[in-house]
């Protein structure tokens, strides 16, 4: 081969390599590789085999279209085949006359009604590990395969290996995503069924024990209080689960009414006065003079606020302070729940609104809860077109803030005052 011819071949290889890298479709890419491989090595045909883990053998990933129906289903064993040898040894192999070679596996020729004379096979390698084989078959005019043919085939093989590897990774990623989606669905179904099925018997337990507490004498009142307290706690957990489930499934709807935030704050904290008193925590509010109104679902806003206040009381030491403030800011009502409790480590702060996230491991933690309170609060606020976030310093305390869009009439009035 003249120098000029060699330069032309290399230029062609370069051109092919450039074009191939823009080829997106996987099968088209492999087909292009084999047609370029036979063209540049002056071979009759070329094919790509890939390792099939399930059968521990090789299968054809790309063959010339005229052989496709005949050999697509043929499997090539790793033992007693030329491709198998190349795969196992991760080395190129040139055989000038396959008939005299005991590794020649005639099944493929038989199926394709084809006659192989000479063969050049190179491994497809990813980080030195074989993943398949690229073969060129029957050099024209019974010529011998050269070192340059080997180099060309190896160049094409390295491109193919990379693309095959990426395709395999992508397939794996898709499978994992599907599996995650399936597990997530199972978990959601479980939460949905469990919270629904637990609600009725729990309601009966609470109803009957409350009734018994009224009619039974002093003697058993403490026991009944314990039953009622714990059943109420269970009810709270189930409510959180089912709120989250409704939100996730899109079943949650907000019934918009005018809601006075100062009134809602006052109503919510009443239910925490006893807990705060028991823990010697001072619970204060500053909800201003203005009657701040939002158009929203009072029940859902109350759930969000209750979850924040409950956490503030739970994670504040004896003698600490919890403070709830509401104030108008342009277009919004800003509600802050501030405590001087244990605070949240900075590495946990970005995750606390995730479902089931808890700072302390559930095995070592001293407080109850399922790591759902904040994700429920977030869902409730975001359903109203609001925003919620937290600021905290470990050992010093936390500040949870949410914004809710102001009632539209009030927002317009505020804007007029601002404009004037
Ligand atoms: P849980 O109901 O289990 O408390 P949440 O979703 O309400 O779950 O809160 C998640 C985690 O965030 C809690 O386990 C707690 O570690 C942390 N956290 C929430 N609020 C506070 C707070 N005010 N002070 C300190 N840590 C808090």
């Amino acid at each position: 081969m003249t120098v000029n011819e060699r330069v032309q071949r290399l230029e062609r290889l370069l051109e092919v390599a450039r074009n191939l890298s823009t080829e997106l479709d996987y099968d088209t890419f492999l087909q292009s590789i084999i047609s370029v491989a036979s063209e540049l090595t002056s071979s009759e045909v070329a094919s790509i085999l890939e390792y099939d883990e399930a059968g521990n053998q090789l299968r054809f990933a790309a063959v010339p279209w005229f052989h496709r129906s005949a050999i697509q289903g043929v499997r090539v064993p790793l033992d007693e085949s030329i491709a198998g040898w190349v795969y196992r040894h991760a080395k190129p192999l040139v055989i000038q006359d396959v008939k005299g070679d005991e590794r020649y596996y005639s099944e493929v020729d038989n199926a394709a009604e084809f006659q192989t004379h000479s063969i050049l096979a190179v491994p497809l390698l990813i980080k030195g590990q074989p993943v398949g084989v690229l073969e060129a078959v029957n050099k024209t005019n019974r010529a011998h395969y050269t070192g340059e043919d080997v180099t060309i085939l190896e160049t094409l093989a390295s491109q193919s290996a990379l693309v095959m590897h990426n395709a395999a990774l992508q397939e794996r990623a898709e499978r994992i995503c599907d599996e995650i989606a399936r597990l997530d669905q199972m978990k959601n179904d479980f939460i949905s069924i469990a919270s629904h099925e637990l609600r009725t018997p729990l309601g009966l337990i609470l109803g009957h024990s409350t009734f018994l507490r009224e009619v039974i004498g002093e003697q058993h009142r403490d026991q009944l209080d314990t039953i009622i307290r714990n059943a109420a706690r269970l009810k709270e957990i189930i409510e959180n689960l089912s709120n989250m489930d409704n939100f996730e499934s899109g079943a949650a709807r907000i019934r918009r009414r005018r809601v006075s935030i100062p009134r809602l704050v006052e109503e919510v904290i009443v239910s925490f006065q006893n807990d705060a008193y028991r823990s010697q925590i001072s619970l204060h509010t500053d909800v201003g003079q203005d009657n701040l109104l939002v158009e929203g679902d009072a029940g859902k806003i109350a759930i969000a606020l209750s979850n924040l206040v409950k956490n503030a009381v739970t994670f504040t030491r004896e003698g600490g302070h919890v403070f709830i403030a509401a104030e108008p800011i342009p277009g919004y009502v800003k509600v802050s729940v501030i405590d001087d409790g244990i605070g949240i480590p900075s590495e946990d702060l970005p995750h606390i609104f995730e479902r089931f996230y808890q700072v302390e491991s559930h095995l070592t933690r001293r407080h109850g809860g399922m790591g759902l309170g904040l994700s429920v609060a977030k869902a409730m606020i975001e359903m109203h077109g609001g925003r919620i976030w937290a600021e905290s310093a470990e050992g010093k305390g936390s500040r949870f803030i949410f914004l809710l869009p102001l009632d539209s009439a009030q927002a317009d009035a505020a804007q007029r005052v601002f404009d004037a």
Side-chain angles (χ1 to χ4, degrees), residues 49-78:
L49 295 105
E50 64 184 345
Y51 179 61
D52 165 20
E53 209 173 333
N56 191 32
Q57 56 196 354
L58 295 166
R59 63 165 172 244
F60 286 97
V63 293
W65 62 267
F66 45 87
H67 282 163
R68 191 170 298 162
S69 58
I71 63 172
Q72 195 92 70
V74 178
R75 298 290 180 262
V76 176
L78 294 186

Side-chain angles (χ1 to χ4, degrees), residues 240 307-308 310-312 315 339 342-344 352 354 357-360 365 368-375 392 398 400:
N240 268 337
N307 287 354
L308 298 186
K310 187 179 124 276
N311 281 345
F315 296 107
D339 66 63
I342 63 171
I344 300 164
I352 54 170
E354 290 166 14
Y357 191 88
Q358 295 180 319
V359 173
E360 287 179 68
R365 64 192 250 127
M370 290 180 68
L372 273 179
L374 290 179
S375 52
S392 185
S398 309
F400 284 80

